Amino acid sequence: MRRLVPWVFFVVSSASALALGCATYTQDLDRARGHYEANRFEQALALFRVLEHDMDSFSLPEQAQYAYLRGMTDFRLAGLAPQGSGIADPRKGYRDNARHWLGVAAAIEKQTPGGITSEQKGRLTATLEDLNRDVFGGAETLPEGGAAPAEGAQPAEAADPAAPTEAPAEPPTL
């Protein structure tokens, strides 16, 4: 019986330490959220950077919240940063990071819905559209399929409806 007591104590203390460790990450995420909501973006970003290496300790909804808040923090800091030039442009760096983290948040939310509120989803979508213009420049004007029309091609609605349509080619026989 005496040999059993140390093992029981070890198992109980290890389980308690693991539970407290997870609670600490969640508490840090809540603290970072508080900084974000109070417009203390530098403090929020500092906490997010510390938590980044332990992101896998969060549940999937918490991971979506982390990525959303991290991306929105970078986005807000991009608006506050001074304009730089070339590689030394902090706005571009913040916007790039914001696009990355908001993309991660959108992917997690798409795979396992419920981590982001409907209000946050709307803000996420609008912000990602803005950030995607940095990369794709005006991609929002492309047709539904996403591909740019061929040069010299007429838009579908301007095509002559009386013109004969071409039959699809038959697949080759083997």
Side-chain angles (χ1 to χ4, degrees), residues 1-162:
M1 184 70 172
R2 286 187 137 179
R3 289 184 181 180
L4 185 61
V5 171
W7 285 104
V8 169
F9 178 73
F10 174 75
V11 169
V12 169
S13 64
S14 297
S16 299
L18 286 174
L20 288 175
C22 294
T24 301
Y25 296 135
T26 301
Q27 289 169 349
D28 285 344
L29 180 60
D30 290 340
R31 193 167 357 141
R33 178 184 293 114
H35 287 308
Y36 171 79
E37 290 171 352
N39 295 329
R40 293 189 306 265
F41 302 120
E42 293 86 2
Q43 292 91 339
L45 184 59
L47 274 171
F48 288 131
R49 286 179 175 171
V50 169
L51 285 171
E52 182 177 345
H53 301 288
D54 298 311
M55 188 176 161
D56 60 343
S57 297
F58 292 130
S59 66
L60 286 174
E62 288 175 325
Q63 287 180 19
Q65 271 296 304
Y66 170 88
Y68 170 78
L69 290 167
R70 171 82 186 261
M72 290 305 295
T73 299
D74 280 312
F75 183 73
R76 302 292 186 216
L77 285 169
L80 299 173
Q83 183 68 41
S85 61
I87 293 176
D89 186 3
R91 286 184 182 182
K92 181 176 178 354
Y94 284 129
R95 287 180 67 85
D96 289 346
N97 286 332
R99 184 172 178 269
H100 166 78
W101 286 109
L102 292 175
V104 169
I108 294 171
E109 183 64 19
K110 183 177 181 181
Q111 195 171 32
T112 56
I116 298 176
T117 66
S118 58
E119 180 182 325
Q120 290 173 333
K121 283 181 193 176
R123 192 172 301 122
L124 172 92
T125 302
T127 305
L128 265 178
E129 286 174 1
D130 176 32
L131 294 168
N132 281 337
R133 278 188 229 112
D134 292 352
V135 177
F136 302 115
E140 70 279 357
T141 62
L142 292 179
E144 184 73 23
E151 193 171 318
Q154 292 181 340
E157 60 271 5
D160 182 12

